[in-house]
Amino acid sequence: MVKGISRRVVLVRGTESDCFEQAIFVVRDGGADGCDILREACEAAQACSEEQVRRIPQKKLMLAGLCGGGVASVLWTLALLVVNFC
């Protein structure tokens, strides 16, 4: 918590993300004007919501892990069979 200091913030509402309903950005002192700050905040919020769309679903990750484990088990068994017969 910031005590005794005034900070400028930008609140972006109405994002199309399923993960969050609003984003709060704390603005640095000095620099760009209000329009540039608002545009950049909206672009950052949009980039975060697009990143969420590109995530791999958890079920696919679990299936890939199980398949990888199965393939590794089969290869290990084959390697043991080859070593025992030689």
Side-chain angles (χ1 to χ4, degrees):
M1 175 178 211
V2 178
K3 202 171 191 183
I5 297 176
S6 175
R7 303 293 291 194
R8 293 189 314 163
V9 296
V10 174
L11 179 64
V12 179
R13 291 186 183 165
T15 62
E16 297 176 3
S17 173
D18 293 335
C19 298
F20 57 90
E21 60 187 51
Q22 62 185 2
I24 301 171
F25 296 93
V26 179
V27 180
R28 290 186 182 150
D29 293 333
D33 64 345
C35 292
D36 291 337
I37 292 171
L38 183 59
R39 181 180 42 77
E40 190 169 338
C42 288
E43 288 174 1
Q46 182 66 29
C48 288
S49 64
E50 288 173 359
E51 182 180 324
Q52 298 296 326
V53 172
R54 286 182 264 162
R55 283 190 177 174
I56 298 173
Q58 189 175 7
K59 289 182 181 179
K60 287 186 179 181
L61 290 176
M62 289 176 26
L63 181 62
L66 289 174
C67 289
V71 169
S73 297
V74 169
L75 291 175
W76 183 260
T77 304
L78 289 175
L80 286 175
L81 289 174
V82 169
V83 169
N84 287 337
F85 284 120
C86 292

